[in-house]
Amino acid sequence: MFKDFDWAVIGRALPFLVDGMGMTLQLTVIAIFGGICFGTLLALLRISPFRPISFVAGSYVNFFRSMPLILVIFWFYFLVPQIIGRPIGGFYSVLIAFVMFEAAYYCEIIRAGIQSVTRGQIMAGTAIGLSYIQAMRYIVLPQAFRNMIPVLLTQSIIMFQDTSLVYVVGLRDFLTSADLIATRDNRLVELYSTIAVVYFILCLLGSLAVRRLQRKYTI
Amino acid sequence: MIEIKNVSKWYADFHVLDDCSTFVGKGDVVVICGPSGSGKSTLIKCVNGLEPFQKGEITVDGTSVGQKGVNLNALRSRIGMVFQNFELFPHMTVLQNIALGQTKVLGRTEPEAHDRSMLLLDRVGLVDQADKHPAQLSGGQQQRVAIARALAMDPIAMLFDEPTSALDPEMINEVLDVMVELAKEGMTMMVVTHEMGFARKVADKVIFMDEGRIVEEANTKEFFEKPRSERAQEFLSKILSH
């Protein structure tokens, strides 16, 4: 049955696919970086002893975790431009959506990481005169991040797969690029299988990295 | 130097500290003992503001601990504290553990902090362990590093919260030796411990606590020879009978 397939289409489409992969990786990296930064801030707010602050951060997290990602993308692509009166553009709207959405998940991972560091450590830090913020920065967060590297990476792998949703706003990432060629040349099987293999290999490499790091950082 | 006046503390309805008052003079070594749950640890954690208290007043070198607006961080940097579970920072080397407070709180330069840390490590007999991580050390060694870390801040007083309770028996002495040394040099110390040998040897005063109250406070000789309260007599007979 394979005789009808034209695998050469992959070679011809390669530059186009690589270009799309560039977009996918760019989105992934920026969204992970932004998500972790914003997520750390949210986590610190969420463990704040000052109730109103932790309530706001908690509500944010619960809200975004109850929303499908695709809906959040639609908001920033379709609704927010109407409110502010000008278009945001595909790239920036998905980027904002990813960062805000992923931050909610990263927040929970980071919060658990922070809480995995015992109270005695903060006490020991403040006992030598460090302020709360210094104790967080030099003592709690470095240990917390070590503890949560595996989970953060796992979430980031999911993030990498989720970037394919930019399809809906017409941004040309890896999946969209493949889809365009597939429908133009009517080579659905060839392209869909190829990109499945690529996604599989990349995510597998990610998981292997997680496992290695897990072994390296177990204290 | 350290004055505790009518301090009371509650955890919700539970009365942890009940009207505790005492005084620790400069250069004094005070041992606090008593059954577990009697509030000993809580009391010394109140001294450097790690535990808040609801009533009373604690002053350290003229600074009131509980008062609003007091720079607690600055005060804490001048009071050394050693914990039961060492609480070394596991992601840092021994040297980094000792240098952290010096550079971030006292504003010493890296070389200054390094030299001071090595001096202190020499003092606790651990120079050769400087570049190891805490997990690579024995409990006794970790506690000695913790003492060095506290001393690196040039404290005016040291608080010890059951410093040998988490140690294997054969490691207790190496830690106590360092503490005896410190006491002899005239360091002001408050020590929560069950090591009555240590108390006899260096303490000027022993405080016995039970159920959040200071039941008995006497100079060391008096406390061991003729404790006044029945509760202290009972406690002593139990821990000294072996």
Side-chain angles (χ1 to χ4, degrees):
Chain A
M1 65 179 275
F2 283 93
K3 69 177 182 342
D4 292 335
F5 294 150
D6 171 23
W7 293 98
V9 68
I10 305 298
R12 292 196 300 274
L14 204 57
F16 196 67
L17 291 178
V18 168
D19 201 40
M21 182 51 87
M23 168 64 82
T24 293
L25 292 177
Q26 196 183 347
L27 278 170
T28 307
V29 169
I30 301 176
I32 289 172
F33 182 76
I36 288 179
C37 288
F38 187 33
T40 306
L41 178 70
L42 278 173
L44 289 172
L45 296 180
R46 208 170 169 192
I47 58 169
S48 160
F50 188 56
R51 284 288 171 80
I53 288 182
S54 68
F55 177 77
V56 171
S59 308
Y60 177 94
V61 170
N62 286 330
F63 180 75
F64 273 95
R65 293 211 302 178
S66 340
M67 291 292 140
L69 175 54
I70 200 158
L71 185 58
V72 181
I73 294 173
F74 279 155
W75 273 351
F76 283 97
Y77 191 66
F78 295 115
L79 301 186
V80 175
Q82 292 200 356
I83 297 167
I84 61 172
R86 62 191 179 84
I88 304 178
F91 185 72
Y92 288 105
S93 61
V94 295
L95 212 50
I96 296 169
F98 279 143
V99 168
M100 294 191 73
F101 183 84
E102 292 299 324
Y105 285 86
Y106 283 126
C107 165
E108 287 305 274
I109 295 169
I110 294 162
R111 181 174 70 111
I114 290 173
Q115 286 171 340
S116 73
V117 180
T118 58
R119 224 171 78 86
Q121 286 282 305
I122 302 181
M123 272 202 180
T126 46
I128 55 171
L130 296 179
S131 66
Y132 178 77
I133 292 172
Q134 284 178 317
M136 274 290 161
R137 173 162 165 214
Y138 298 115
I139 297 164
V140 178
L141 288 178
Q143 291 183 62
F145 273 104
R146 271 180 182 75
N147 294 346
M148 61 205 180
I149 279 174
V151 199
L152 279 180
L153 254 174
T154 306
Q155 181 64 31
S156 301
I157 293 170
I158 299 172
M159 165 85 244
F160 168 68
Q161 295 162 354
D162 281 350
T163 54
S164 57
L165 286 175
V166 302
Y167 176 74
V168 297
V169 298
L171 219 53
R172 197 168 65 73
D173 74 325
F174 185 54
L175 181 110
T176 312
S177 308
D179 184 60
L180 285 172
I181 307 268
T183 42
R184 187 195 64 188
D185 298 354
N186 199 19
R187 290 288 166 200
L188 301 184
V189 177
E190 291 88 336
L191 277 143
Y192 289 167
S193 356
T194 304
I195 64 162
V197 169
V198 173
Y199 271 112
F200 175 77
I201 291 172
L202 288 176
C203 293
L204 184 70
L205 286 176
S207 312
L208 290 176
V210 171
R211 240 192 288 168
R212 275 193 64 150
L213 284 168
Q214 232 163 354
R215 247 178 279 146
K216 190 170 161 195
Y217 283 117
T218 311
I219 303 173
Chain B
M1 167 81 92
I2 299 172
E3 188 165 23
I4 300 175
K5 266 196 287 192
N6 308 107
V7 167
S8 283
K9 175 180 172 69
W10 288 265
Y11 284 127
D13 283 341
F14 181 59
H15 211 162
V16 217
L17 294 176
D18 185 356
D19 200 28
C20 295
S21 299
T22 189
F23 179 80
V24 183
K26 191 167 170 17
D28 283 357
V29 176
V30 174
V31 161
I32 305 170
C33 60
S36 46
S38 57
K40 311 170 298 256
S41 296
T42 311
L43 183 67
I44 69 162
K45 281 183 183 147
C46 286
V47 172
N48 65 350
L50 283 182
E51 290 276 2
F53 50 92
Q54 284 86 20
K55 264 176 74 179
E57 193 186 16
I58 297 180
T59 53
V60 179
D61 200 29
T63 310
S64 174
V65 179
Q67 217 167 50
K68 274 209 166 120
V70 168
N71 186 344
L72 264 184
N73 298 330
L75 181 70
R76 285 184 188 128
S77 70
R78 301 172 62 212
I79 309 173
M81 176 129 197
V82 175
F83 299 86
Q84 181 175 355
N85 296 316
F86 330 132
E87 300 296 354
L88 294 179
F89 310 131
H91 58 299
M92 297 180 184
T93 64
V94 164
L95 199 63
Q96 289 168 335
N97 263 276
I98 303 175
L100 182 70
Q102 300 183 60
T103 53
K104 304 301 176 203
V105 179
L106 301 181
R108 287 182 189 151
T109 62
E110 293 281 346
E112 276 170 359
H114 177 271
D115 292 350
R116 181 93 176 98
S117 306
M118 290 308 281
L119 214 65
L120 286 163
L121 275 177
D122 184 38
R123 180 172 175 175
V124 297
L126 293 171
V127 174
D128 47 340
Q129 315 287 339
D131 296 319
K132 289 195 179 161
H133 278 80
Q136 296 167 281
L137 305 184
S138 72
Q141 290 173 325
Q142 290 190 49
Q143 195 61 300
R144 284 187 281 154
V145 172
I147 294 174
R149 179 176 70 183
L151 290 175
M153 308 301 286
D154 296 326
I156 53 170
M158 288 279 286
L159 308 173
F160 292 86
D161 183 11
E162 304 205 28
T164 57
S165 299
L167 295 176
D168 289 340
E170 72 261 34
M171 290 171 185
I172 290 176
N173 280 332
E174 62 188 68
V175 172
L176 289 180
D177 288 345
V178 174
M179 292 168 62
V180 168
E181 192 84 353
L182 262 181
K184 283 185 179 154
E185 285 166 20
M187 176 61 80
T188 308
M189 293 161 70
M190 282 183 91
V191 185
V192 173
T193 187
H194 295 294
E195 294 296 330
M196 290 301 125
F198 171 81
R200 265 183 213 262
K201 204 191 243 169
V202 297
D204 299 294
K205 188 164 80 172
V206 178
I207 290 173
F208 178 76
M209 289 184 73
D210 191 27
E211 294 178 343
R213 277 188 301 276
I214 293 180
V215 177
E216 182 152 353
E217 177 172 348
N219 72 51
T220 309
K221 197 159 177 275
E222 206 176 302
F223 180 79
F224 284 107
E225 282 170 11
K226 36 179 190 294
R228 288 187 302 269
S229 66
E230 217 172 285
R231 191 66 189 84
Q233 286 165 16
E234 191 191 331
F235 179 77
L236 279 177
S237 73
K238 268 185 199 151
I239 63 169
L240 294 179
S241 63
H242 297 291

